[in-house]
Amino acid sequence: MPILALLLMASSGFIIIMTETLPAGLLPLLATEFQVSDGSAGQLITAYALGTVLAAIPTIAMTRGVSRKPLLVVGLAGFFVANTLMAFAPTLAIALVVRFIAGAFSGLIWGMLAGYARRIVAPEQAGRALAIAMAGTPLALSVGTPLGAWLGATVGWRWSFVSVSVLTVLVVLLVMARVPNAPGQRSGTRLALRGVLVIPGVAVVLSVVFAWMLAHNLLYTYIAPYLDGARVPVRPDVALFVFGVAALAGIWITGALVDTSLRRLTLVSTGAFVMAGSLLLVASSSLPMTVGAVILWGVAFGGSATQLQTAIGDAAGESVDVANAMLTTAFNLAIFGGGAVGALLVDGSGPAALPMAMIALSAVSLVTVALGRRHAFPRGRR
């Protein structure tokens, strides 16, 4: 297995997720800088998600036949430009435009990264390769975003985005030197977008992606106002660090079991979201219960990307890149919804409404996984 290449793909994912989630850790600083409410500052995440939603499927559809390595380099270069511009954004309006551009490049990379990882390993190693390539997500959540939040609080939020730009340059150079290329999809195997969507199991996985990730993003985007409203004596950066470390454990568990127990893993993970939301709802003022809920939430989320991308890759077969672009679109529609709906809840009903929404959406995900036993989340070894 090409470990170094997969780790560099994970580093690419780290950059994407850190760029995406930095505003969550910097939300109070951004709101103060641009003189807006927390809900308005949260639209920096919404704008990013909107860019991804609008770009993922068209860019992957247009680049299905393009070699994967040059495409990855172009996507990372886009992140360098976007994060550098964000570091110098003078107004919220300009920052929103820059975040939209960053989201568009996110759609390009996420749409091809999972298929790229699967193409450079043997089919029986696909699940484990995906777990390694997706490790950047929990690592960004456990180290990147909390560190960016700390850096922002210490020397200013703009330096957080500068640090991501510097990291991007390093990763691009290593990708160019050490990651093997892989061909795009052969023209004779390319289905129309509608044809991919009706492949058995694909639509079911996409519905789980949207509901499950919406449950996650409602709380993750507004973790700072939630903790403040619940009067839990823990800083947002500390809560994000605990969440991210727990997510690392989740992806390790998933990497060990995804090739043999995909269905059980997904059932347990969505069920754990319901339990975590319930703990936050009934014991919001208790520090031990809140920390326990964050840990449970993190472990369950850590393996979610690998579980969902493995499921949709197995269902889609040769059309994995387009299916992953659809997954990326659903994922970022959930991020968009988390930012937009979460703002309405936080500025309207108050942060206490977030765990209730998390419970309801996670329960929908759990039921959908349970019903998708034939094609989307089949029983037994994959």
Side-chain angles (χ1 to χ4, degrees):
M1 185 176 290
I3 298 296
L4 179 58
L6 293 169
L7 288 176
L8 287 170
M9 291 182 187
S11 299
S12 303
F14 179 94
I15 290 167
I16 297 172
I17 294 299
M18 188 172 177
T19 299
E20 175 188 314
T21 58
L22 260 180
L26 301 170
L27 203 61
L29 298 173
L30 292 165
T32 300
E33 172 78 16
F34 296 125
Q35 299 181 348
V36 295
S37 68
D38 286 343
S40 296
Q43 301 316 298
L44 290 166
I45 295 177
T46 304
Y48 181 101
L50 181 60
T52 306
V53 167
L54 295 179
I57 293 176
T59 55
I60 290 300
M62 289 187 296
T63 59
R64 277 191 279 183
V66 177
S67 295
R68 302 292 93 179
K69 183 173 176 176
L71 208 55
L72 178 57
V73 171
V74 168
L76 288 171
F79 269 89
F80 168 77
V81 172
N83 280 311
T84 302
L85 291 175
M86 181 65 189
F88 294 97
T91 65
L92 179 62
I94 293 175
L96 288 169
V97 173
V98 171
R99 292 287 294 174
F100 179 88
I101 294 170
F105 282 103
S106 169
L108 173 65
I109 296 180
W110 276 136
M112 53 81 70
L113 198 62
Y116 193 178
R118 292 169 71 103
R119 285 191 178 106
I120 63 173
V121 299
E124 63 272 14
Q125 295 177 318
R128 189 162 297 179
L130 267 179
I132 297 172
M134 295 300 111
T137 296
L139 193 60
L141 297 173
S142 62
V143 178
T145 302
L147 184 60
W150 172 83
L151 186 65
T154 304
V155 298
W157 65 266
R158 297 180 188 275
W159 286 102
S160 300
F161 289 95
V162 169
S163 67
V164 182
S165 291
V166 173
L167 175 62
T168 304
V169 172
L170 177 61
V171 172
V172 166
L173 293 175
L174 289 172
V175 166
M176 292 174 67
R178 303 305 300 267
V179 175
N181 196 9
Q185 186 180 358
R186 300 187 308 274
S187 58
T189 64
R190 298 178 201 167
L191 293 176
L193 297 181
R194 185 176 179 181
V196 176
L197 186 60
V198 299
I199 293 174
V202 169
V204 174
V205 177
L206 292 176
S207 64
V208 173
V209 171
F210 179 75
W212 190 5
M213 293 304 107
L214 181 56
H216 164 73
N217 282 287
L218 282 171
L219 187 60
Y220 191 89
T221 302
Y222 296 101
I223 187 67
Y226 169 76
L227 293 172
D228 182 61
R231 301 188 183 278
V232 180
V234 59
R235 299 199 316 268
D237 58 339
V238 175
L240 292 175
F241 176 77
V242 172
F243 172 88
V245 171
L248 285 175
I251 201 166
W252 181 84
I253 294 169
T254 295
L257 300 176
V258 67
D259 287 322
T260 58
S261 305
L262 174 60
R263 177 176 174 80
R264 291 180 182 177
L265 277 172
T266 314
L267 286 169
V268 170
S269 297
T270 49
F273 257 59
V274 176
M275 293 176 62
S278 300
L279 286 174
L280 292 173
L281 184 63
V282 302
S284 60
S285 60
S286 169
L287 178 59
M289 293 291 279
T290 298
V291 172
V294 170
I295 292 173
L296 184 60
W297 173 29
V299 172
F301 177 79
S304 61
T306 300
Q307 293 163 24
L308 294 168
Q309 287 181 317
T310 300
I312 205 164
D314 287 349
E318 285 284 340
S319 299
V320 60
D321 286 338
V322 173
N324 266 295
M326 291 177 174
L327 183 147
T328 300
T329 300
F331 199 109
N332 283 276
L333 277 172
I335 297 173
F336 178 89
V341 177
L344 295 176
L345 293 175
V346 169
D347 292 343
S349 302
L354 296 175
M356 296 179 63
M358 182 180 184
I359 293 168
L361 290 164
S362 302
V364 170
S365 304
L366 175 61
V367 171
T368 306
V369 173
L371 294 175
R373 65 176 63 90
R374 186 173 180 185
H375 298 292
F377 302 95
R379 294 188 179 97
R381 188 181 184 92
R382 53 176 295 277

